[in-house]
C-alpha cells in the first residue's frame, strides 16, 4: 500500500491536516506534488543513493519531499528546525546532500550554511533572495510518476551523546515502491493501523519516530493530524474533536497531561482511541499506571532507536503483568552480553544487543559503525538492561549515562523516574559531575512545579524522598534548581548539555 494508490482510489481523502489552520492536503494533491518534486530532483541529476536534506517545520512540505525521495531511491535527511548554521553545514557536508529544502522561517540559516560549505553541487530551495521555493521550482513539471521508480529511505542524524551527531544510514530497499515495509506490518499487527486510522502527530516531524509513523499511516491511507507543537490540553481537545484513533507520545507528554487540573482532564472524551504508542525515553512506572487507569488498556510501548536494528514491544496487559518492561522482541533477537562479550543468563544485567535485525551504518564513520556491532554481527544501541525468563526486556539506563561514584555503579534513570513522581517536581535530570574525591558525584537538577521555590529546604525534602525510595547510595549529593530543563521538542532530555556545564565549571574551579 502506498499514497499513490490512495491518490487513484480516493483522491479527495485528506492525507494530512494542519490542526492550527484546518488546512487539508488530499491524497491526490500529495501524490501530484511528490511526483513533481521527484521529477525536479531527477532533473538536477540526483540518482539512486543520493541525499536530499530538509529544514522544515510541521507542515505539508516535509511529506511532499519525503514521498518524492521515497519513489526515486533517494535518502531523506531531515534536520532539526533548532539547528545552528554550523550544525546544518556539518550535516550537509557529512551527508553529501545534493539538494536542500528549507522552510521560510529557516531560509537565512540555510543560506548561511550553504555559503559556509561552499559547495557548487548543492541546490538550495528556500525563500531567500535569489532562490526559488520548492513549489516554484516544481511549477510546470509532470504530476505523473517517473518512468523508473525506485524505493528510497531516510538517513536521519541521531542527536548524539557526545560530539557531532551520527547519520544513521540503512540499506536502500529493493523492489517495488509499493512493497510493505517492516514498520507498516508492525503498525497493523500491533496497533490495528489501517485506512480508517486518524493519527495525531504531536512531535517535530524531523525526528525519526514522528516522521516514520506518520508515513506509515499514509501508506495505509489514513489521515495525519499535525500539531505545530505539543500542548497538553490541546492534545486532549483534538483527540475528542477529530475522533483520533492513534497517536504517539513521549513520557514527558504523559506527565504534562497528568499534571493538568483534574477538571480539565475530565472535560474531554478519549473513547475514540484504539492505540496510544509511547517510546523515545523511559516511562516512570507510576506515570504509566496513571495513564492506563485514565485511558484504559490502549497504551502501548516499544523500544528501538533511529538505527532500528531491533524493536521490542508490549501492550497494556503485558506491561501490567511486567511493570517497567519495554517488551519482547518483535524485530531482531534480544541478546544480553556481559563485560566479556558473552551472553549472560536471564535476570543478569548487561549490554543490550539485537541479533538478526536490519543492518545499518553510521555514514562516513566506519569506526563508529564497527563499535555498534560485535564479532557475531549483533548490534547495540548502547543501553544496559536485563531479560527475564519470559523474554521481557527491562532497561537500566544508557551506558553513557552510568555514574561511577566511589567505585559504585549508579543508574540515574531510576532516580529521575522517582523524582518526577513527587507532586512538587515538574521535571528532573540526574547525572554524574566530576568530583575530586569520588570520581563523580550524583547531581539532580530539578524544575519545581509552578509556585514552588527552589530552596535548601526543598532540596532536603527531595533528598529524604529519594533516600526513602531508593536508599542512601543512590541519593544525589547535590540538588540544583532550574526554571526549565533543556529538552528537545520531542520531550527528550538533553542531559549531555547539563553534564557539559558542570564539567566546564569543574575544570574552571
Amino acid at each position: 500500500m502506498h499514497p499513490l494508490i490512495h491518490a487513484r482510489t480516493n483522491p479527495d481523502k485528506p492525507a494530512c491536516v494542519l490542526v492550527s489552520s484546518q488546512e487539508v492536503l488530499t491524497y491526490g494533491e500529495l501524490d501530484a506534488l511528490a511526483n513533481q518534486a521527484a521529477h525536479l530532483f531527477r532533473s538536477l541529476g540526483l540518482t539512486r543513493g543520493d541525499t536530499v536534506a530538509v529544514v522544515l517545520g510541521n507542515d505539508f512540505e516535509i511529506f511532499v519531499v519525503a514521498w518524492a525521495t521515497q519513489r526515486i531511491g533517494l535518502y531523506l535527511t531531515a534536520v532539526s528546525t533548532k539547528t545552528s548554521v554550523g550544525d546544518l553545514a556539518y550535516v550537509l557536508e557529512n551527508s553529501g546532500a545534493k539538494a536542500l529544502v528549507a522552510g521560510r522561517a529557516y531560509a537565512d540559516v540555510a543560506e548561511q550554511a550553504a555559503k559556509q560549505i561552499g559547495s557548487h553541487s548543492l541546490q538550495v530551495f528556500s525563500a531567500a533572495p535569489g532562490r526559488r521555493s520548492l513549489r516554484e521550482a516544481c511549477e510546470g513539471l509532470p504530476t505523473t510518476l517517473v518512468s523508473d521508480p525506485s524505493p528510497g529511505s531516510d538517513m536521519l542524524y541521531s542527536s548524539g551523546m557526545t560530539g557531532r551527531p551520527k547519520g544513521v544510514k540503512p540499506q536502500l530497499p529493493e523492489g517495488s515502491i509499493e512493497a510493505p515495509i517492516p514498520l507498516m506490518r508492525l503498525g497493523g499487527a500491533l496497533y490495528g493501523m489501517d485506512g480508517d486510522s486518524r493519527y495525531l502527530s504531536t512531535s517535530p516531524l524531523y525526528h525519526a519516530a514522528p516522521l516514520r509513523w506518520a508515513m506509515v499511516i499514509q501508506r495505509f491511507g489514513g489521515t495525519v493530524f499535525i500539531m505545530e507543537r505539543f500542548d497538553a490540553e490541546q492534545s486532549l481537545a483534538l483527540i475528542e474533536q477529530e475522533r483520533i484513533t492513534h497517536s504517539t507520545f513521549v513520557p514527558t507528554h504523559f506527565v504534562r497531561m497528568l499534571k493538568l487540573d483534574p477538571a480539565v482532564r475530565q472535560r474531554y472524551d478519549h473513547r475514540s482511541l484504539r492505540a496510544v504508542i509511547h517510546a523515545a525515553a523511559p516511562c516512570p512506572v507510576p506515570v504509566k499506571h496513571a495513564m492506563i487507569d485514565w485511558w484504559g488498556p490502549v497504551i502501548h510501548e516499544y523500544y528501538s532507536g533511529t538505527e532500528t536494528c531491533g524493536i521490542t514491544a508490549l501492550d497494556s496487559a503485558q506491561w501490567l503483568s511486567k511493570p517497567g518492561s519495554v517488551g519482547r522482541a518483535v524485530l531482531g533477537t534480544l541478546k544480553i552480553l556481559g563485560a566479556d562479550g558473552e551472553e549472560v543468563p536471564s535476570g543478569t544485567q548487561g549490554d543490550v544487543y539485537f541479533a538478526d535485525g536490519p543492518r545499518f551504518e553510521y555514514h562516513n564513520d566506519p569506526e563508529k559503525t564497527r563499535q555498534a556491532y560485535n564479532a557475531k554481527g549483533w548490534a547495540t544501541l548502547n543501553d544496559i538492561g536485563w531479560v527475564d525468563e519470559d523474554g521481557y526486556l527491562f532497561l537500566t539506563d544508557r551506558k553513557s549515562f552510568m555514574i561511577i561514584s566511589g567505585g559504585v555503579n549508579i543508574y540515574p534513570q531510576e532516580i529521575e523516574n522517582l523524582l518526577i513522581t513527587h507532586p512538587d517536581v515538574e521535571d528532573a535530570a540526574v547525572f554524574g559531575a566530576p568530583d575530586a574525591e569520588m570520581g563523580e558525584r550524583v547531581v539532580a537538577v530539578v524544575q519545581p512545579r509552578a509556585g514552588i521555590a527552589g530552596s535548601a529546604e526543598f532540596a532536603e525534602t527531595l533528598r529524604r524522598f529519594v533516600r526513602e525510595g531508593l536508599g542512601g547510595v543512590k541519593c544525589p549529593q547535590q540538588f540544583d534548581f532550574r526554571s526549565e530543563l533543556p529538552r528537545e521538542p520531542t520531550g527528550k532530555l538533553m542531559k549531555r548539555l547539563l553534564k557539559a556545564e558542570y564539567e566546564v565549571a569543574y575544570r574552571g574551579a
Side-chain angles (χ1 to χ4, degrees):
M1 301 178 73
H2 194 278
L4 66 84
I5 297 175
H6 310 309
R8 297 169 192 155
T9 60
N10 201 356
D12 296 327
K13 182 174 182 179
C16 39
V17 179
L18 297 179
V19 299
S20 58
S21 64
Q22 288 299 297
E23 187 179 354
V24 172
L25 184 70
T26 67
Y27 275 100
E29 293 166 335
L30 173 60
D31 188 59
L33 292 170
N35 282 331
Q36 286 185 312
H39 281 285
L40 173 66
F41 296 142
R42 278 284 181 83
S43 74
L44 298 173
L46 275 70
T47 59
R48 182 171 169 83
D50 284 338
T51 299
V52 174
V54 299
V55 186
L56 295 168
N58 278 15
D59 57 31
F60 296 151
E61 200 161 40
I62 194 167
F63 291 109
V64 172
V65 181
W67 286 114
T69 57
Q70 189 277 337
R71 61 190 63 194
I72 56 171
L74 303 181
Y75 283 105
L76 172 71
T77 293
V79 183
S80 169
T81 57
K82 308 294 185 184
T83 188
S84 65
V85 171
D87 283 349
L88 177 56
Y90 163 78
V91 170
L92 291 173
E93 197 159 33
N94 183 264
S95 67
K98 298 290 182 65
L100 169 63
V101 180
R104 179 173 295 275
Y106 319 110
D108 289 345
V109 170
E111 197 66 19
Q112 293 177 56
K115 288 179 181 177
Q116 186 169 313
I117 64 174
S119 172
H120 297 294
S121 62
L122 177 68
Q123 301 288 326
V124 180
F125 300 95
S126 74
R131 300 287 190 185
R132 293 181 298 168
S133 68
L134 180 69
R135 182 157 294 201
E136 289 170 338
C138 288
E139 286 179 2
L141 293 177
T143 59
T144 53
L145 186 65
V146 297
S147 60
D148 55 344
S150 171
S153 184
D154 58 45
M155 182 172 72
L156 304 179
Y157 278 68
S158 67
S159 55
M161 290 305 171
T162 58
R164 292 290 196 178
K166 304 180 291 288
V168 179
K169 190 174 187 177
Q171 296 176 337
L172 278 178
E174 300 286 350
S176 169
I177 64 172
E178 302 167 25
I181 61 173
L183 201 60
M184 187 180 182
R185 289 191 285 268
L186 289 175
L190 297 179
Y191 311 130
M193 292 177 175
D194 56 25
D196 295 324
S197 295
R198 299 169 67 83
Y199 171 79
L200 181 62
S201 181
T202 60
S203 300
L205 289 164
Y206 56 75
H207 279 284
L211 179 60
R212 290 171 179 172
W213 282 118
M215 292 180 72
V216 164
I217 292 293
Q218 290 171 344
R219 283 182 178 272
F220 279 113
T223 300
V224 176
F225 293 84
I226 306 166
M227 297 181 73
E228 186 177 350
R229 62 180 59 85
F230 175 78
D231 177 86
E233 185 173 356
Q234 185 191 25
S235 297
L236 300 180
L238 287 168
I239 290 168
E240 177 183 52
Q241 174 186 320
E242 304 295 351
R243 305 183 312 283
I244 298 299
T245 61
H246 296 79
S247 189
T248 51
F249 294 92
V250 295
T252 300
H253 294 161
F254 286 165
V255 170
R256 291 176 183 172
M257 290 189 289
L258 287 166
K259 290 193 175 182
L260 289 171
D261 187 285
V264 173
R265 289 171 46 193
Q266 294 168 12
R267 189 179 299 157
Y268 301 103
D269 188 344
H270 57 263
R271 288 175 292 179
S272 61
L273 291 170
R274 294 180 357 216
V276 172
I277 307 152
H278 73 92
C283 187
V285 169
V287 170
K288 188 155 180 180
H289 266 301
M291 288 302 302
I292 295 173
D293 289 344
W294 180 14
W295 282 356
V298 298
I299 309 295
H300 294 256
E301 181 172 3
Y302 72 88
Y303 160 69
S304 188
T306 305
E307 294 83 348
T308 322
C309 53
I311 301 175
T312 69
L314 79 175
D315 60 23
S316 292
Q318 292 169 318
W319 186 88
L320 288 170
S321 69
K322 304 279 187 178
S325 173
V326 294
R328 290 185 289 193
V330 294
L331 180 66
T333 305
L334 273 172
K335 304 286 185 179
I336 305 297
L337 307 185
D340 59 359
E342 297 299 320
E343 287 189 73
V344 297
S346 61
T348 305
Q349 184 172 270
D351 296 333
V352 180
Y353 277 77
F354 285 97
D356 312 316
R359 297 285 301 183
F360 72 93
E361 64 181 64
Y362 292 119
H363 185 57
N364 286 337
D365 201 329
E367 179 58 23
K368 285 182 180 176
T369 303
R370 186 193 64 77
Q371 292 172 2
Y373 287 89
N374 70 0
K376 297 178 181 178
W378 303 343
T380 183
L381 299 173
N382 289 309
D383 287 315
I384 300 169
W386 54 278
V387 174
D388 73 4
E389 64 280 1
D390 298 316
Y392 284 85
L393 174 64
F394 293 77
L395 293 176
T396 305
D397 212 330
R398 286 200 65 85
K399 195 171 184 179
S400 59
F401 287 155
M402 185 178 74
I403 303 167
I404 304 177
S405 183
V408 177
N409 292 352
I410 298 170
Y411 298 96
Q413 177 186 309
E414 63 176 332
I415 308 172
E416 292 167 352
N417 288 350
L418 177 62
L419 281 170
I420 200 67
T421 66
H422 191 283
D424 291 332
V425 172
E426 186 71 25
D427 204 355
V430 177
F431 52 90
D435 186 271
E437 180 182 356
M438 304 295 287
E440 288 185 296
R441 68 183 183 283
V442 183
V443 174
V445 178
V446 172
Q447 177 184 336
R449 179 174 58 84
I452 301 297
S455 63
E457 291 76 17
F458 187 38
E460 185 55 36
T461 297
L462 295 179
R463 191 171 284 109
R464 288 197 301 269
F465 181 70
V466 175
R467 189 177 292 115
E468 290 169 5
L470 298 175
V473 172
K474 298 175 182 178
C475 186
Q477 289 95 22
Q478 180 177 342
F479 282 88
D480 293 331
F481 299 98
R482 300 274 179 100
S483 59
E484 190 174 12
L485 297 189
R487 284 191 179 271
E488 294 178 354
T490 56
K492 191 172 184 179
L493 183 63
M494 294 187 285
K495 194 153 47 175
R496 66 188 184 280
L497 299 182
L498 291 171
K499 281 178 64 68
E501 282 186 36
Y502 282 73
E503 288 166 2
V504 169
Y506 178 79
R507 289 196 299 268

